[in-house]
Amino acid sequence: MKTMQRKTDESYVPKDLAAKRAAAVVAALMLSVASMLAVGCDSSRSSSSQTAAKPAGAAVPEDVQSAADAFLGKEATVLVFGDLAKNGNRQLLAANVVPKTPKNALPGTIVTRAVLAEESGGSWHELVRCDEHLKNDKGYLGGSPIGPVAGWRVQFEQNAIEGFHLYLTPVKGNDDPHVLPLAVRWNPAVKRYQTLDRNYEHFLTEAGSLGPARSHL
């Protein structure tokens, strides 16, 4: 019996140590897996950040700012840039922003002019111009005001599936909450930006144009 007891004691100690070692190994493996996942996530974020839309807070590349200046002058502000339409090409939204003053207390970003442009073939091309009117190279965007507009409130968001959503609200010296914004989005079927209907479901065709809006740099 003593011999059996000694064997039992001797076998018990290694099992306890083995359990501790197993727990340590499991903890090490979990830490390793967590590290690999973190590296993978960082790599994925780094890769996607190269093409994702970047807001104005991000550093604007020199060629993007130069294109904005060429379209709107040296006071142009790049509001957002990147693969906005999810078509593989760099695009930018730039505007002449109205500074905030006691007389201009309207909420949001108010602009007098704005341009959506795309880089292709080594040069930048204007896609949409927003000044007194809202137009592209096919004419006036559907649903836009018939009369001239002095300024626009600009809002935008980036949808992971549909791409860039631009909302433009005409501003005529007062903040009328009943004026609905015009929604502008890339239409992959015709490969250009168009406005959407009031339900934001269907694209609207352009009206007759007074002149081409497309320019080349």
Side-chain angles (χ1 to χ4, degrees), residues 52-61 64-65 77-82 93 97 109 156:
K54 297 177 176 59
V60 179
V64 174
Q65 186 63 57
T77 299
V78 177
L79 301 179
V80 65
F81 64 93
L93 171 65
V97 179
T109 301
F156 55 84

Side-chain angles (χ1 to χ4, degrees), residues 140-189:
Y140 295 103
L141 270 61
S144 57
I146 297 176
V149 176
W152 302 81
R153 177 180 294 106
V154 175
Q155 297 169 291
F156 55 84
E157 62 182 357
Q158 187 74 13
N159 184 284
I161 298 175
E162 298 173 340
F164 186 63
H165 290 204
L166 175 63
Y167 302 97
L168 298 167
T169 306
V171 176
K172 296 183 178 180
N174 56 10
D175 188 22
D176 186 353
H178 301 293
V179 177
L180 297 177
L182 295 167
V184 180
R185 203 175 77 202
W186 179 261
N187 184 351

Side-chain angles (χ1 to χ4, degrees), residues 96-112 151-153 171 173-175:
N96 295 134
V97 179
V98 178
K100 291 293 183 183
T101 65
K103 293 183 178 180
N104 171 32
L106 297 175
T109 301
I110 308 300
V111 308
T112 54
W152 302 81
R153 177 180 294 106
V171 176
N174 56 10
D175 188 22

Side-chain angles (χ1 to χ4, degrees), residues 9-209:
D9 293 342
E10 290 171 359
S11 63
Y12 174 80
V13 174
K15 286 182 180 179
D16 185 54
L17 290 175
K20 291 182 179 179
R21 289 172 182 169
V25 169
V26 170
L29 286 173
M30 292 178 64
L31 180 61
S32 177
V33 171
S35 299
M36 291 174 65
L37 289 174
V39 170
C41 291
D42 290 341
S43 176
S44 175
R45 284 194 295 267
S46 176
S47 175
S48 62
S49 66
Q50 295 177 4
T51 57
K54 297 177 176 59
V60 179
E62 184 177 349
D63 65 318
V64 174
Q65 186 63 57
S66 296
D69 293 346
F71 287 122
L72 296 173
K74 292 296 184 181
E75 295 182 354
T77 299
V78 177
L79 301 179
V80 65
F81 64 93
D83 186 7
L84 305 183
K86 302 295 184 182
N87 64 351
N89 294 331
R90 284 198 307 169
Q91 296 182 349
L92 66 84
L93 171 65
N96 295 134
V97 179
V98 178
K100 291 293 183 183
T101 65
K103 293 183 178 180
N104 171 32
L106 297 175
T109 301
I110 308 300
V111 308
T112 54
R113 297 188 300 165
V115 161
L116 269 169
E118 180 179 78
E119 181 188 33
S120 62
S123 59
W124 287 86
H125 312 282
E126 184 175 309
L127 301 176
V128 173
R129 177 167 287 267
C130 173
D131 45 29
E132 291 184 335
H133 301 281
L134 183 60
K135 50 191 179 290
N136 61 16
D137 62 340
K138 300 298 182 181
Y140 295 103
L141 270 61
S144 57
I146 297 176
V149 176
W152 302 81
R153 177 180 294 106
V154 175
Q155 297 169 291
F156 55 84
E157 62 182 357
Q158 187 74 13
N159 184 284
I161 298 175
E162 298 173 340
F164 186 63
H165 290 204
L166 175 63
Y167 302 97
L168 298 167
T169 306
V171 176
K172 296 183 178 180
N174 56 10
D175 188 22
D176 186 353
H178 301 293
V179 177
L180 297 177
L182 295 167
V184 180
R185 203 175 77 202
W186 179 261
N187 184 351
V190 297
K191 293 181 172 56
R192 64 177 181 268
Y193 281 99
Q194 291 182 313
T195 46
L196 294 165
D197 62 15
R198 289 304 184 187
N199 294 322
Y200 300 157
E201 295 177 348
H202 305 289
F203 288 100
L204 302 176
T205 57
E206 296 83 355
S209 175

